[in-house]
């Protein structure tokens, strides 16, 4: 609604500030998805994903929930053994490099194993188990070609629109799903880059 300010005998009409238009997920095109697939095809991804899938082959739901609780507790504590181990592994370092090179386009990247547990991440996630969320249920649990683009959310701290792009990770040896990758995208930055003139 416009603001009215009295200036002497004159009433000045001030237009209400326009709200920023929410960018569309149509910015996430086939070329963009192919770039994510190229990261997920790196040898580091498959070496660590295979190792964790083998290690967790017989893990129980009770154990998964206990690990998830420990992770969430550690996010609020000084001692963080599970978080430190995961953040320090080569896959997490690889994802961190991708995030850093993106210069703000990818605020977060993480890879999930066949049980829905994090196996590598560029920053600390709020939880360790993703198996109860759509990012795993609509990718790995669906099949090798599955892609799930979540709803756009507004990130208050940075005043940016973000969306999570999720897809199945395929083991190049077996050609079967081995996990999933989630990439959080700053849609405002992506829109700016697509609109920028090319030289």
């Amino acid at each position: 609604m416009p603001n009215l300010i009295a200036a002497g005998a004159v009433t000045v009409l001030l237009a209400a500030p326009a709200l920023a238009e929410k960018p569309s997920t149509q910015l996430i095109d086939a070329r963009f998805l192919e770039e994510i697939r190229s990261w997920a095809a790196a040898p580091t991804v498959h070496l660590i994903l295979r190792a964790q899938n083998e290690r967790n082959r017989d893990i129980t739901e009770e154990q998964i929930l206990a690990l998830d609780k420990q992770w969430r507790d550690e996010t609020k504590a000084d001692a963080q053994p599970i978080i430190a181990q995961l953040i320090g592994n080569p896959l997490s370092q690889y994802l961190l490099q991708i995030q850093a090179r993106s210069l703000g386009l990818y605020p977060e990247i993480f890879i999930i194993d066949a049980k829905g547990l994090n196996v590598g991440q560029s920053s600390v996630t709020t939880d360790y188990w993703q198996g109860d969320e759509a990012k795993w249920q609509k990718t790995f649990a669906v099949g090798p070609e599955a892609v799930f683009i979540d709803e756009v959310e507004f990130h208050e701290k940075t005043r940016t629109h973000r969306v999570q792009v999720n897809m199945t990770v395929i083991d190049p040896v077996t050609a079967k799903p081995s996990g999933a990758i989630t990439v959080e995208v700053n849609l405002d930055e992506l829109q700016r880059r697509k609109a920028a003139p090319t030289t």
Side-chain angles (χ1 to χ4, degrees):
M1 187 170 178
N3 297 322
L4 296 175
I5 298 180
V10 181
T11 300
V12 180
L13 182 65
L14 299 178
L19 294 175
E21 191 172 322
K22 182 168 73 172
S24 169
T25 55
Q26 290 182 353
L27 292 164
I28 311 294
D29 55 18
R31 185 176 177 182
F32 192 93
L33 296 176
E34 196 54 42
E35 182 177 359
I36 296 175
R37 286 193 182 95
S38 72
W39 309 338
T44 302
V45 173
H46 299 295
L47 284 171
I48 295 182
L49 197 47
R50 284 185 200 126
Q52 182 157 307
N53 280 339
E54 179 62 28
R55 190 164 59 248
N56 288 340
R57 184 173 54 182
D58 298 319
I59 196 171
T60 65
E61 184 176 349
E62 185 178 3
Q63 289 172 320
I64 287 173
L65 294 177
L67 284 169
D68 189 50
K69 182 181 184 305
Q70 183 176 345
W71 178 279
R72 286 184 280 110
D73 289 344
E74 285 186 14
T75 62
K76 305 167 190 171
D78 294 330
Q80 300 178 320
I82 295 182
I83 291 175
Q85 183 179 19
L86 192 62
I87 287 291
N89 77 29
L91 177 53
S92 292
Q93 295 306 304
Y94 167 69
L95 298 177
L96 180 59
Q97 289 174 10
I98 294 172
Q99 178 185 327
R101 287 199 303 265
S102 80
L103 301 175
L105 184 58
Y106 309 122
E108 183 177 56
I109 309 168
F110 55 97
I111 289 179
I112 312 162
D113 71 10
K115 298 293 185 177
L117 293 166
N118 290 355
V119 63
Q121 55 202 80
S122 65
S123 57
V124 179
T125 53
T126 54
D127 48 12
Y128 182 49
W129 184 51
Q130 317 296 335
D132 59 341
E133 298 184 24
K135 59 176 63 72
W136 186 85
Q137 294 175 348
K138 293 187 177 183
T139 55
F140 175 85
V142 171
E145 303 301 321
V147 175
F148 170 60
I149 300 176
D150 214 334
E151 294 183 8
V152 178
E153 295 186 354
F154 187 69
H155 190 255
E156 287 287 350
K157 188 174 182 180
T158 60
R159 309 296 292 172
T160 57
H161 295 90
R162 298 182 179 186
V163 68
Q164 288 191 337
V165 179
N166 314 275
M167 62 177 64
T168 305
V169 175
I170 308 300
D171 188 297
V173 175
T174 65
K176 294 180 179 179
S178 58
I181 183 169
T182 292
V183 181
E184 187 172 68
V185 181
N186 179 339
L187 279 179
D188 296 294
E189 177 61 14
L190 180 58
Q191 182 172 257
R192 184 193 69 78
R193 294 185 189 189
K194 282 181 175 285
T198 56
T199 55

